[in-house]
Amino acid sequence: MKKVFLMLLSVILLSSCGGKKEPNVKAPTRVKTQLVSPDMVDNAQTYVGIVEEREATAVSFTGMGVVKRMLVNEGQAVSKGQLIAEMDDTQARNLLSGAEAQMTQANDVLERYKMLHENGSLPEVKWVEVQSKVAQAKSQLQVARKTLADCRLIAPVSGIIGKKMIGAGETAMPSQAVVSILDISTVKVKVAVPEAEVGGINASTPTSIKVEAINESYHGGQIEKGVQADALTHTYDIRINVANGDRKLLPGMVANVRFVSDGSQAIGSKMIPVTAVQKKADGSLFVWTVGKDSTAHRSTVTIGQTQGNYVSVIDGLNIGDRIATEGYQKLSEGTKVIY
């Protein structure tokens, strides 16, 4: 009996051991990352700048009236020709109806007097008067049609709605801005540069721009240099054009701007935070890089000169590579991450 019991117990244990287990899927590790940015050395100067739109367009009604509908919100992308708002058009429609009636009446009179004119029984002065009334009615009809069309506010350009100045139910005055449309396909970073340093900056001076709000770095384009200094601070406004195809850069964002004055070394080194560099057991250095598939990899690097909290990378990384700057202590080769 005891032997039979032991056999049954063995069968039960084997059955339980042979059951399928649910796979243990590890959740991605959250890390903070940063793109490898170019280094500018020697005469490099760093300033704080503000992102500005390329161009701002104030859009307004041409007439006075109560706004019936607002069809856009701040931050919304709009296309040229898109309907933005509508004004109460009751009065405009009444004017159009009256103008159409006058046009019909003028045309009817013209047709009746035309036969008399062709028969030579209508004085020339009267015929000219009839034609003048037709022309006046036509002009009034065109004005009425435009007045009705102007009750619809159409976007004159494509861009982003920056600010709404008027809402539905409010009275809009002629030429009073209803919304502003911002062109941010290209933005400008405005920097105030002291007069003693502005001489070393020209239209093609290389720049590197870091925007902490979105954790992105950019290469600046052509520079627009102001010619009139601020009376109090004796600084000149410098505006750097920056491509913004993905529209991540928004007006008002703070940017750290680095200029390389004439005589500086060419851009070539890559800069990363000192804290991101780790040491292996054999003494070699590495950083954790994040691939396009959001997978962490250990990348061996050779470092160079240290500048503040950053160190230049001589070998092992490319400009634009994404590295982990926080949370990398939990990483191992192949770990999935989110950032």
Side-chain angles (χ1 to χ4, degrees), residues 54-81:
R54 178 178 177 270
E55 188 175 359
T57 303
V59 186
S60 60
F61 288 105
T62 58
M64 184 180 72
V66 177
V67 177
K68 182 170 63 176
R69 290 197 304 164
M70 284 296 300
L71 303 174
V72 295
N73 295 310
E74 293 183 1
Q76 179 179 338
V78 295
S79 302
K80 182 178 179 179

mmCIF file of all heavy atoms in Angstrom, residues 54-81:
data_model
loop_
_atom_site.group_PDB
_atom_site.id
_atom_site.type_symbol
_atom_site.label_atom_id
_atom_site.label_comp_id
_atom_site.label_asym_id
_atom_site.label_seq_id
_atom_site.Cartn_x
_atom_site.Cartn_y
_atom_site.Cartn_z
ATOM 1 N N ARG A 54 9.629 82.358 -36.990
ATOM 2 C CA ARG A 54 10.219 82.977 -38.177
ATOM 3 C C ARG A 54 9.437 84.213 -38.578
ATOM 4 O O ARG A 54 9.997 85.243 -38.936
ATOM 5 C CB ARG A 54 10.247 81.966 -39.328
ATOM 6 C CG ARG A 54 10.793 82.525 -40.640
ATOM 7 C CD ARG A 54 10.823 81.437 -41.700
ATOM 8 N NE ARG A 54 11.272 81.976 -42.982
ATOM 9 C CZ ARG A 54 10.457 82.482 -43.901
ATOM 10 N NH1 ARG A 54 9.160 82.534 -43.663
ATOM 11 N NH2 ARG A 54 10.930 82.943 -45.033
ATOM 12 N N GLU A 55 8.118 84.092 -38.494
ATOM 13 C CA GLU A 55 7.262 85.226 -38.849
ATOM 14 C C GLU A 55 5.911 85.058 -38.165
ATOM 15 O O GLU A 55 5.405 83.943 -38.027
ATOM 16 C CB GLU A 55 7.070 85.303 -40.361
ATOM 17 C CG GLU A 55 6.359 86.545 -40.846
ATOM 18 C CD GLU A 55 6.303 86.644 -42.355
ATOM 19 O OE1 GLU A 55 6.846 85.746 -43.035
ATOM 20 O OE2 GLU A 55 5.722 87.621 -42.862
ATOM 21 N N ALA A 56 5.335 86.169 -37.703
ATOM 22 C CA ALA A 56 4.019 86.154 -37.071
ATOM 23 C C ALA A 56 3.054 86.992 -37.907
ATOM 24 O O ALA A 56 3.381 88.123 -38.280
ATOM 25 C CB ALA A 56 4.094 86.702 -35.652
ATOM 26 N N THR A 57 1.885 86.428 -38.194
ATOM 27 C CA THR A 57 0.878 87.119 -38.992
ATOM 28 C C THR A 57 -0.378 87.323 -38.159
ATOM 29 O O THR A 57 -0.980 86.353 -37.686
ATOM 30 C CB THR A 57 0.529 86.313 -40.257
ATOM 31 O OG1 THR A 57 1.724 86.080 -41.014
ATOM 32 C CG2 THR A 57 -0.481 87.050 -41.117
ATOM 33 N N ALA A 58 -0.759 88.595 -37.955
ATOM 34 C CA ALA A 58 -1.998 88.906 -37.240
ATOM 35 C C ALA A 58 -3.157 88.865 -38.237
ATOM 36 O O ALA A 58 -3.128 89.538 -39.263
ATOM 37 C CB ALA A 58 -1.901 90.281 -36.584
ATOM 38 N N VAL A 59 -4.172 88.064 -37.933
ATOM 39 C CA VAL A 59 -5.312 87.875 -38.838
ATOM 40 C C VAL A 59 -6.535 88.551 -38.240
ATOM 41 O O VAL A 59 -6.851 88.347 -37.060
ATOM 42 C CB VAL A 59 -5.587 86.376 -39.065
ATOM 43 C CG1 VAL A 59 -6.668 86.185 -40.110
ATOM 44 C CG2 VAL A 59 -4.310 85.654 -39.478
ATOM 45 N N SER A 60 -7.236 89.355 -39.054
ATOM 46 C CA SER A 60 -8.373 90.116 -38.541
ATOM 47 C C SER A 60 -9.475 90.209 -39.589
ATOM 48 O O SER A 60 -9.243 90.028 -40.780
ATOM 49 C CB SER A 60 -7.921 91.525 -38.138
ATOM 50 O OG SER A 60 -7.372 92.210 -39.261
ATOM 51 N N PHE A 61 -10.695 90.518 -39.105
ATOM 52 C CA PHE A 61 -11.821 90.810 -40.002
ATOM 53 C C PHE A 61 -11.653 92.221 -40.555
ATOM 54 O O PHE A 61 -11.027 93.082 -39.935
ATOM 55 C CB PHE A 61 -13.143 90.715 -39.242
ATOM 56 C CG PHE A 61 -13.564 89.321 -38.882
ATOM 57 C CD1 PHE A 61 -13.443 88.855 -37.582
ATOM 58 C CD2 PHE A 61 -14.083 88.467 -39.842
ATOM 59 C CE1 PHE A 61 -13.832 87.574 -37.243
ATOM 60 C CE2 PHE A 61 -14.482 87.175 -39.518
ATOM 61 C CZ PHE A 61 -14.347 86.732 -38.211
ATOM 62 N N THR A 62 -12.241 92.468 -41.719
ATOM 63 C CA THR A 62 -12.183 93.817 -42.306
ATOM 64 C C THR A 62 -13.346 94.685 -41.867
ATOM 65 O O THR A 62 -13.311 95.899 -42.048
ATOM 66 C CB THR A 62 -12.170 93.727 -43.833
ATOM 67 O OG1 THR A 62 -13.342 93.031 -44.281
ATOM 68 C CG2 THR A 62 -10.926 92.990 -44.329
ATOM 69 N N GLY A 63 -14.368 94.058 -41.290
ATOM 70 C CA GLY A 63 -15.535 94.812 -40.832
ATOM 71 C C GLY A 63 -15.826 94.539 -39.368
ATOM 72 O O GLY A 63 -15.170 93.714 -38.724
ATOM 73 N N MET A 64 -16.834 95.248 -38.841
ATOM 74 C CA MET A 64 -17.229 95.080 -37.442
ATOM 75 C C MET A 64 -18.408 94.119 -37.354
ATOM 76 O O MET A 64 -19.290 94.124 -38.209
ATOM 77 C CB MET A 64 -17.614 96.430 -36.837
ATOM 78 C CG MET A 64 -17.953 96.367 -35.348
ATOM 79 S SD MET A 64 -18.409 97.985 -34.658
ATOM 80 C CE MET A 64 -20.022 98.205 -35.414
ATOM 81 N N GLY A 65 -18.405 93.289 -36.300
ATOM 82 C CA GLY A 65 -19.502 92.362 -36.098
ATOM 83 C C GLY A 65 -19.236 91.421 -34.946
ATOM 84 O O GLY A 65 -18.134 91.400 -34.374
ATOM 85 N N VAL A 66 -20.239 90.649 -34.604
ATOM 86 C CA VAL A 66 -20.132 89.683 -33.510
ATOM 87 C C VAL A 66 -19.587 88.364 -34.059
ATOM 88 O O VAL A 66 -20.105 87.845 -35.061
ATOM 89 C CB VAL A 66 -21.495 89.464 -32.834
ATOM 90 C CG1 VAL A 66 -21.387 88.399 -31.743
ATOM 91 C CG2 VAL A 66 -22.026 90.774 -32.256
ATOM 92 N N VAL A 67 -18.569 87.830 -33.400
ATOM 93 C CA VAL A 67 -17.980 86.560 -33.822
ATOM 94 C C VAL A 67 -18.943 85.427 -33.465
ATOM 95 O O VAL A 67 -19.337 85.270 -32.296
ATOM 96 C CB VAL A 67 -16.609 86.336 -33.144
ATOM 97 C CG1 VAL A 67 -16.045 84.972 -33.546
ATOM 98 C CG2 VAL A 67 -15.655 87.450 -33.534
ATOM 99 N N LYS A 68 -19.357 84.683 -34.478
ATOM 100 C CA LYS A 68 -20.318 83.598 -34.278
ATOM 101 C C LYS A 68 -19.631 82.298 -33.901
ATOM 102 O O LYS A 68 -20.100 81.568 -33.021
ATOM 103 C CB LYS A 68 -21.149 83.417 -35.554
ATOM 104 C CG LYS A 68 -22.224 82.356 -35.451
ATOM 105 C CD LYS A 68 -23.158 82.406 -36.653
ATOM 106 C CE LYS A 68 -22.423 82.098 -37.947
ATOM 107 N NZ LYS A 68 -23.338 82.051 -39.110
ATOM 108 N N ARG A 69 -18.514 81.994 -34.569
ATOM 109 C CA ARG A 69 -17.811 80.726 -34.306
ATOM 110 C C ARG A 69 -16.305 80.930 -34.396
ATOM 111 O O ARG A 69 -15.820 81.652 -35.262
ATOM 112 C CB ARG A 69 -18.212 79.654 -35.320
ATOM 113 C CG ARG A 69 -19.614 79.128 -35.187
ATOM 114 C CD ARG A 69 -19.748 77.809 -35.950
ATOM 115 N NE ARG A 69 -19.377 77.918 -37.353
ATOM 116 C CZ ARG A 69 -19.108 76.873 -38.143
ATOM 117 N NH1 ARG A 69 -19.143 75.646 -37.645
ATOM 118 N NH2 ARG A 69 -18.811 77.054 -39.424
ATOM 119 N N MET A 70 -15.576 80.291 -33.481
ATOM 120 C CA MET A 70 -14.118 80.197 -33.561
ATOM 121 C C MET A 70 -13.784 78.733 -33.826
ATOM 122 O O MET A 70 -14.181 77.854 -33.060
ATOM 123 C CB MET A 70 -13.455 80.658 -32.267
ATOM 124 C CG MET A 70 -13.436 82.170 -32.090
ATOM 125 S SD MET A 70 -12.453 83.030 -33.334
ATOM 126 C CE MET A 70 -10.848 82.314 -33.054
ATOM 127 N N LEU A 71 -13.076 78.470 -34.908
ATOM 128 C CA LEU A 71 -12.872 77.090 -35.350
ATOM 129 C C LEU A 71 -11.460 76.582 -35.104
ATOM 130 O O LEU A 71 -11.119 75.481 -35.542
ATOM 131 C CB LEU A 71 -13.196 76.985 -36.851
ATOM 132 C CG LEU A 71 -14.616 77.429 -37.222
ATOM 133 C CD1 LEU A 71 -14.789 77.420 -38.729
ATOM 134 C CD2 LEU A 71 -15.649 76.533 -36.561
ATOM 135 N N VAL A 72 -10.626 77.364 -34.420
ATOM 136 C CA VAL A 72 -9.249 76.937 -34.153
ATOM 137 C C VAL A 72 -8.923 77.173 -32.684
ATOM 138 O O VAL A 72 -9.584 77.962 -31.999
ATOM 139 C CB VAL A 72 -8.237 77.695 -35.041
ATOM 140 C CG1 VAL A 72 -8.443 77.357 -36.503
ATOM 141 C CG2 VAL A 72 -8.334 79.201 -34.819
ATOM 142 N N ASN A 73 -7.877 76.477 -32.221
ATOM 143 C CA ASN A 73 -7.388 76.640 -30.859
ATOM 144 C C ASN A 73 -5.906 76.988 -30.884
ATOM 145 O O ASN A 73 -5.211 76.734 -31.880
ATOM 146 C CB ASN A 73 -7.593 75.346 -30.052
ATOM 147 C CG ASN A 73 -9.057 75.015 -29.877
ATOM 148 O OD1 ASN A 73 -9.849 75.857 -29.464
ATOM 149 N ND2 ASN A 73 -9.432 73.778 -30.195
ATOM 150 N N GLU A 74 -5.424 77.542 -29.797
ATOM 151 C CA GLU A 74 -4.008 77.884 -29.711
ATOM 152 C C GLU A 74 -3.157 76.621 -29.827
ATOM 153 O O GLU A 74 -3.455 75.587 -29.228
ATOM 154 C CB GLU A 74 -3.721 78.592 -28.383
ATOM 155 C CG GLU A 74 -4.374 79.961 -28.287
ATOM 156 C CD GLU A 74 -4.031 80.695 -26.996
ATOM 157 O OE1 GLU A 74 -3.275 80.126 -26.191
ATOM 158 O OE2 GLU A 74 -4.502 81.826 -26.798
ATOM 159 N N GLY A 75 -2.092 76.712 -30.621
ATOM 160 C CA GLY A 75 -1.219 75.571 -30.837
ATOM 161 C C GLY A 75 -1.631 74.681 -31.989
ATOM 162 O O GLY A 75 -0.901 73.758 -32.355
ATOM 163 N N GLN A 76 -2.790 74.950 -32.590
ATOM 164 C CA GLN A 76 -3.288 74.120 -33.690
ATOM 165 C C GLN A 76 -2.613 74.506 -34.999
ATOM 166 O O GLN A 76 -2.410 75.680 -35.295
ATOM 167 C CB GLN A 76 -4.796 74.289 -33.813
ATOM 168 C CG GLN A 76 -5.435 73.498 -34.946
ATOM 169 C CD GLN A 76 -6.932 73.693 -35.013
ATOM 170 O OE1 GLN A 76 -7.576 74.063 -34.028
ATOM 171 N NE2 GLN A 76 -7.510 73.478 -36.182
ATOM 172 N N ALA A 77 -2.262 73.505 -35.791
ATOM 173 C CA ALA A 77 -1.685 73.759 -37.119
ATOM 174 C C ALA A 77 -2.795 74.089 -38.102
ATOM 175 O O ALA A 77 -3.845 73.426 -38.117
ATOM 176 C CB ALA A 77 -0.899 72.538 -37.589
ATOM 177 N N VAL A 78 -2.600 75.127 -38.901
ATOM 178 C CA VAL A 78 -3.583 75.517 -39.904
ATOM 179 C C VAL A 78 -2.896 75.648 -41.258
ATOM 180 O O VAL A 78 -1.694 75.910 -41.342
ATOM 181 C CB VAL A 78 -4.277 76.849 -39.540
ATOM 182 C CG1 VAL A 78 -5.095 76.700 -38.279
ATOM 183 C CG2 VAL A 78 -3.254 77.974 -39.382
ATOM 184 N N SER A 79 -3.664 75.474 -42.315
ATOM 185 C CA SER A 79 -3.160 75.595 -43.680
ATOM 186 C C SER A 79 -3.705 76.858 -44.329
ATOM 187 O O SER A 79 -4.780 77.344 -43.958
ATOM 188 C CB SER A 79 -3.562 74.367 -44.506
ATOM 189 O OG SER A 79 -3.086 73.181 -43.924
ATOM 190 N N LYS A 80 -2.976 77.360 -45.293
ATOM 191 C CA LYS A 80 -3.414 78.545 -46.023
ATOM 192 C C LYS A 80 -4.769 78.263 -46.674
ATOM 193 O O LYS A 80 -4.958 77.230 -47.310
ATOM 194 C CB LYS A 80 -2.386 78.913 -47.092
ATOM 195 C CG LYS A 80 -2.737 80.160 -47.871
ATOM 196 C CD LYS A 80 -1.657 80.495 -48.880
ATOM 197 C CE LYS A 80 -2.016 81.741 -49.680
ATOM 198 N NZ LYS A 80 -0.972 82.100 -50.665
ATOM 199 N N GLY A 81 -5.733 79.184 -46.478
ATOM 200 C CA GLY A 81 -7.071 79.005 -47.030
ATOM 201 C C GLY A 81 -8.045 78.342 -46.078
ATOM 202 O O GLY A 81 -9.232 78.237 -46.385
#
